[in-house]
Amino acid sequence: MGRVVALAAVAVALAVPALATAAPPQHKPLPASSLQPPEPRLTKAEVTRIFLSYRKVASWLDRYPEKGRTTDATYAKGSWKVDVWWGVAGEIATGRVDDKSGAVTEAWTGPQVAWKMARGYSGAFGGNEINNAGIWLGFCAVFLLGLADFRRPLNIRNLDLLVLLSFSVSLLYFNRGDVLTSVPLVYPPLAYLLVRMVWSAWRGRLATSSAPVWPVWALLAATIFLAGFRVGLNVSSSNVIDVGYSGVIGAERIAHGQSPYGHFPVEDSLRACGPKDSDGEIRERIQADGRCESANPQGDTYGPVAYEAYLPGYLAFGWSGKWDDLPAAHASSIAFDLLCLLGLALIGLRFGGTRLAVTLAFAWVAYPFTQYVSSSNTNDALPPLFLIWGFWLVTSPAARGAAVALSGWTKFGPLLLAPLWASYPDAYAKPRQKLVFLAAFLLATLAAFSILLLDGHPLAAAHEFWRRTLSWQLRRESPFSIWDWRQYHAGLPDLHILQRVLEGALIAGAAAAYFLPRRKSPLQLAALTAALLLGFELVLTHWFYLYLPWFFPFAAFAVLAPAPDPATVPRREEIPLAAQAMP
């Protein structure tokens, strides 16, 4: 055994040097083709032909002469991106084609090319829950069940309630990405409600009152349950769109001694500090102050109150600099919603007692579009919020003036209400009331715009405010109204001139509301308020469903407030002048 071990040791000793000097094993070099990305299976011409023949794309392209059309197709990571342009219309179609199967995986035409919100992405506004058919229809059913008079189905009040809900049909098409169908469906209900409100103000009352269907305690219990459900829906299943995100950014800027205008985070030519999103875009960029923030370059387009109102939420929850869960936006939206609810209850209590208080509060929490605002966490509950509380204190000229100013310097449209609210209750009352209204309006305006002093150059800040807000809003393009479809040069009607005519009529109507009717009841003030806001929305170039709560509280008051029995109401000439001015 020892001899065997010795021989083995000698063999190992001789083999080790040999192995050390032996040439390493040779490996064949990899072919150059394996180091390169795989070549596409389809050619650019084949991909272009497939995309242009796709039914949706071909249907849209039929609107344009073939002469003047240009196309391009680029390949990356197994997919082709195809773009189609035509003359002055610019890019008219874009999409993707899978290289392996030759299937069109994305196809966007017309408004969908530049506007991602027109593509019908699931849950893009409000998250998936509020857009769930069961939850949405549940809100609609509760709204009708609680407010309609089914014992008199032909009551016009029932029709008014159905019209208020009919915007849901348009929203259905919008969620499917069919903007050219969804947009026209908005105008009939808007026009109907405008006529109803003007007619009610002219007559002094709406013949919509009906006998109570449910006891007050039942409506109150439903209101409390729905209010809690809405808060839970916001917390557990909602998103924050760019509008709500802008409120938090603006509040952060103000809290740190800076005006929001011209100081929002941008992304152009700045160093990236975050990953690409699903579209390959990097939103998180190192800003001028060295902080990594998610871009929102057009977020500073609202009035100063739209940012100041978010200060409590920002101070309580802060902001990470990113477009994350944004708890400050959620908290602010919930607060705005609940304050509208409380204000409507106080209005009802003042002008109709307990039943009207509960009815108006129930109407707010059951109306699906108010929850649409809350679930989208936008600032669109702010314009009605200030007006609701001003209406509750309607006998105070100072409260009315401040309310119109704060509401108007949020999203501008409510500024049209200034002549109307200044003339309550009598257009020819003592000048002192008008002066108090004007003084309150100006003081609230100065308080709102005081943030322009933060930059140390108020004139430059005022110019930047104008450039970023009103000037931009007046020039903006949008497919979300029938007024701006001419931009697509696709055989759609050019209604630009009609829009200008209607805008002039709206301004004339706002001025006339100061004088007509001379003496205004609370119901007439509510109806005319709703009418002017409806008129404003009718002529907007950029309209959206989030704007419906602007006029809803006042339309609801006009529709749901009990009308007095004509047999028991004395003629106006029989009422003392002082008593006529009382709400």
Side-chain angles (χ1 to χ4, degrees):
M1 176 65 72
R3 183 179 296 176
V4 172
V5 172
L7 291 173
V10 172
V12 169
L14 293 174
V16 168
L19 290 172
T21 59
Q26 298 295 318
H27 296 284
K28 293 183 178 181
L30 294 173
S33 60
S34 66
L35 301 177
Q36 301 296 328
E39 290 293 328
R41 185 181 68 87
L42 300 173
T43 66
K44 179 182 290 191
E46 290 173 330
V47 168
T48 303
R49 178 183 55 78
I50 292 172
F51 185 73
L52 295 182
S53 62
Y54 189 66
R55 182 177 179 181
K56 176 181 178 180
V57 177
S59 175
W60 181 255
L61 295 184
D62 283 343
R63 299 170 178 268
Y64 301 90
E66 188 170 348
K67 183 180 180 180
R69 181 196 301 170
T70 58
T71 62
D72 188 26
T74 55
Y75 175 79
K77 298 180 179 179
S79 176
W80 289 86
K81 183 176 183 296
V82 186
D83 300 287
V84 185
W85 294 269
W86 185 86
V88 294
E91 191 172 12
I92 57 176
T94 186
R96 292 188 177 276
V97 177
D98 180 66
D99 182 68
K100 183 177 181 180
S101 64
V104 177
T105 57
E106 291 184 16
W108 310 117
T109 60
Q112 297 174 328
V113 174
W115 292 81
K116 292 181 180 179
M117 63 184 285
R119 298 179 180 181
Y121 289 133
S122 176
F125 292 86
N128 291 320
E129 291 301 320
I130 188 58
N131 289 287
N132 178 279
I135 291 179
W136 188 273
L137 293 176
F139 271 105
C140 294
V142 170
F143 182 80
L144 273 181
L145 187 64
L147 300 175
D149 185 356
F150 294 101
R151 292 170 298 189
R152 294 190 293 169
L154 298 181
N155 190 323
I156 196 169
R157 169 168 153 178
N158 293 343
L159 176 60
D160 294 338
L161 297 175
L162 287 171
V163 171
L164 285 168
L165 293 175
S166 68
F167 295 99
S168 302
V169 179
S170 172
L171 181 61
L172 174 65
Y173 283 98
F174 170 80
N175 286 337
R176 294 177 177 176
D178 189 353
V179 173
L180 297 183
T181 301
S182 67
V183 169
L185 290 175
V186 167
Y187 291 92
L190 285 178
Y192 169 87
L193 291 170
L194 173 60
V195 173
R196 288 287 290 138
M197 294 299 105
V198 173
W199 179 248
S200 67
W202 182 262
R203 296 184 67 229
R205 61 187 291 273
L206 268 175
T208 58
S209 61
S210 59
V213 177
W214 304 105
V216 171
W217 66 265
L219 275 183
L220 178 60
T223 301
I224 294 173
F225 171 80
L226 284 173
F229 179 75
R230 288 162 64 97
V231 172
L233 205 59
N234 182 296
V235 172
S236 65
S237 180
S238 70
N239 61 5
V240 181
I241 67 172
D242 56 348
V243 179
Y245 180 38
S246 72
V248 177
I249 298 173
E252 189 272 345
R253 297 300 194 253
I254 295 171
H256 287 82
Q258 189 177 53
S259 166
Y261 303 106
H263 298 114
F264 263 51
V266 296
E267 54 185 314
D268 294 338
S269 304
L270 295 178
R271 183 162 58 90
C273 56
K276 294 182 179 180
D277 60 17
S278 58
D279 295 319
E281 183 179 0
I282 302 177
R283 285 190 169 275
E284 296 176 8
R285 302 278 180 167
I286 303 296
Q287 302 300 311
D289 60 359
R291 187 181 184 188
C292 178
E293 294 180 341
S294 298
N296 189 3
Q298 294 295 338
D300 54 349
T301 189
Y302 306 110
V305 181
Y307 309 108
E308 294 159 346
Y310 281 81
L311 277 169
Y314 167 75
L315 294 175
F317 295 95
W319 174 46
S320 66
K322 309 296 177 58
W323 196 339
D324 49 23
D325 290 338
L326 294 170
H330 285 272
S332 299
S333 295
I334 293 172
F336 302 156
D337 186 66
L338 294 178
L339 286 171
C340 286
L341 171 65
L342 176 60
L344 281 170
L346 292 174
I347 287 174
L349 192 63
R350 177 173 185 179
F351 296 110
T354 304
R355 173 166 291 280
L356 184 59
V358 174
T359 300
L360 292 178
F362 174 84
W364 178 267
V365 297
Y367 192 50
F369 287 99
T370 59
Q371 182 58 38
Y372 195 60
V373 167
S374 178
S375 289
S376 298
N377 289 284
T378 74
N379 56 22
D380 289 286
L382 282 173
L385 170 61
F386 293 112
L387 295 176
I388 286 170
W389 286 84
F391 193 87
W392 176 52
L393 302 171
V394 71
T395 51
S396 167
R400 296 198 309 274
V404 171
L406 294 175
S407 179
W409 296 124
T410 301
K411 303 198 85 166
F412 307 117
L415 293 174
L416 285 168
L417 301 174
L420 169 66
W421 281 49
S423 67
Y424 180 87
D426 189 338
Y428 299 100
K430 294 180 179 179
R432 178 179 174 276
Q433 292 189 5
K434 308 301 184 294
L435 291 175
V436 171
F437 176 94
L438 179 60
F441 182 93
L442 293 177
L443 286 174
T445 297
L446 290 174
F449 280 91
S450 63
I451 61 173
L452 299 183
L453 301 174
L454 295 175
D455 292 338
H457 303 282
L459 291 180
H463 177 266
E464 188 68 13
F465 163 79
W466 166 259
R467 189 178 70 87
R468 304 287 301 180
T469 59
L470 290 168
S471 177
W472 183 80
Q473 293 283 1
L474 292 172
R475 292 180 289 103
R476 75 182 304 184
E477 296 180 341
S478 172
F480 301 106
S481 74
I482 59 175
W483 311 117
D484 203 29
W485 283 356
R486 67 189 185 279
Q487 65 176 296
Y488 299 106
H489 302 273
L492 301 172
D494 184 351
L495 302 175
H496 179 75
I497 295 178
L498 177 59
Q499 182 189 20
R500 294 292 177 260
V501 172
L502 293 177
E503 288 172 347
L506 175 63
I507 295 173
Y514 181 92
F515 302 98
L516 299 172
R518 172 185 170 178
R519 302 191 59 79
K520 300 174 178 67
S521 68
L523 187 144
Q524 288 173 312
L525 180 65
L528 287 173
T529 296
L532 288 174
L533 293 175
L534 281 159
F536 179 74
E537 295 191 24
L538 271 168
V539 302
L540 273 179
T541 297
H542 182 79
W543 183 91
F544 200 60
Y545 306 93
L546 298 169
Y547 304 163
L548 293 174
W550 296 5
F551 67 80
F552 173 74
F554 305 98
F557 181 87
V559 170
L560 299 173
D565 184 354
T568 63
V569 178
R571 291 176 299 179
R572 179 173 294 276
E573 59 267 19
E574 297 175 355
I575 306 176
L577 186 62
Q580 289 183 29
M582 296 297 291

